[in-house]
Amino acid sequence: GAGVSQSPSNKVTEKGKDVELRCDPISGHTALYWYRQRLGQGLEFLIYFQGNSAPDKSGLPSDRFSAERTGESVSTLTIQRTQQEDSAVYLCASSPLLAGGGYEQFFGPGTRLTVL
Amino acid sequence: DQQVKQNSPSLSVQEGRISILNCDYTNSMFDYFLWYKKYPAEGPTFLISISSIKDKNEDGRFTVFLNKSAKHLSLHIVPSQPGDSAVYFCAADSNYQLIWGAGTKLIIKP
């Protein structure tokens, strides 16, 4: 498809287990973002990839969270030793990052993570 | 410290009337703003944007107004339709990242 896809759409896991979330951005988009949205709250920035530059990890809440991106394609967000407070919808977005700034991000449908 | 604030968590508007969603920001260096709409179980979708060189941008039923001196922007939807019921997020562009507001849930009453 032409849009951003994420898998799985839903993930239920037990506290302490590791989870891996996947994002396939729109082809040709150089920028990729991960956000999370807890119930009743706004979007919380996690990490940003831009081309071959070092990712901006300033939003990652703890060292249990990590993300990788292969070139300008797929990204995976890994949460180790999940905690109940990690329960949220994890959203991925990609952007063509046009020269001169002023752009929009295209979002995937999200992965709903529930930690029991 | 929230740099982008949407102080109304929800707003209820009669169908056919105008919906006005507000957003305030604190950083005067922000120069590009976007509004996103989000339905349940879907990712946000881009709605409309405005650059700081303008004070108004219009797209069909949607108009965004920017007041730089007040660090305030608003989204007007007129006339409001039932399909407009969603959560609306305001975001500010900061070095290719978006700083998001908490969102306002808009409910259009028939």
Side-chain angles (χ1 to χ4, degrees):
Chain A
V4 177
S5 61
Q6 291 185 246
S7 60
S9 56
N10 277 287
K11 177 72 178 178
V12 179
T13 190
E14 293 179 348
K15 178 181 171 181
K17 295 285 179 70
D18 298 351
V19 295
E20 191 173 277
L21 312 179
R22 177 186 167 106
C23 172
D24 284 88
I26 293 172
S27 177
H29 281 194
T30 58
L32 186 145
Y33 306 79
W34 283 97
Y35 296 89
R36 76 176 172 184
Q37 185 179 21
R38 289 172 162 153
L39 190 64
Q41 298 185 22
L43 290 164
E44 177 186 3
F45 166 76
L46 297 178
I47 189 169
Y48 158 59
F49 295 90
Q50 165 54 15
N52 294 321
S53 302
D56 178 350
K57 304 180 181 180
S58 60
L60 294 178
S62 77
D63 59 7
R64 296 186 295 104
F65 287 72
S66 62
E68 292 183 352
R69 186 180 186 195
T70 307
E72 292 187 352
S73 61
V74 171
S75 176
T76 55
L77 176 69
T78 302
I79 309 173
Q80 296 178 310
R81 304 180 304 281
T82 53
Q83 304 294 313
Q84 288 182 332
E85 63 262 27
D86 299 335
S87 296
V89 175
Y90 289 81
L91 289 157
C92 173
S94 70
S95 172
L97 217 58
L98 300 172
Y103 69 101
E104 64 174 281
Q105 295 179 10
F106 298 80
F107 283 81
T111 294
R112 180 175 296 278
L113 175 66
T114 304
V115 181
L116 302 176
Chain B
D1 180 33
Q2 281 187 297
Q3 295 189 67
V4 177
K5 298 178 184 179
Q6 293 177 258
N7 292 319
S8 298
S10 67
L11 175 67
S12 187
V13 174
Q14 200 74 35
E15 181 180 358
R17 305 294 287 268
I18 183 171
S19 295
I20 300 177
L21 298 130
N22 293 304
C23 178
D24 296 290
Y25 60 96
T26 57
N27 189 338
S28 58
M29 298 300 291
F30 290 154
D31 60 5
Y32 192 73
F33 303 89
L34 307 91
W35 283 93
Y36 280 76
K37 176 179 178 179
K38 186 181 184 301
Y39 292 117
E42 295 183 14
T45 54
F46 172 74
L47 196 57
I48 193 169
S49 63
I50 189 165
S51 164
S52 61
I53 62 173
K54 292 185 171 183
D55 54 18
K56 176 182 175 181
N57 189 25
E58 193 170 353
D59 183 3
R61 297 186 298 114
F62 301 90
T63 303
V64 56
F65 295 92
L66 175 62
N67 182 334
K68 290 186 291 293
S69 60
K71 297 194 187 71
H72 177 83
L73 61 156
S74 60
L75 174 68
H76 293 210
I77 307 172
V78 57
S80 300
Q81 299 175 354
D84 297 331
S85 295
V87 177
Y88 290 79
F89 290 96
C90 167
D93 182 354
S94 176
N95 293 327
Y96 297 113
Q97 295 185 35
L98 293 181
I99 311 297
W100 296 84
T104 296
K105 183 175 183 179
L106 177 64
I107 301 164
I108 305 300
K109 300 180 291 186

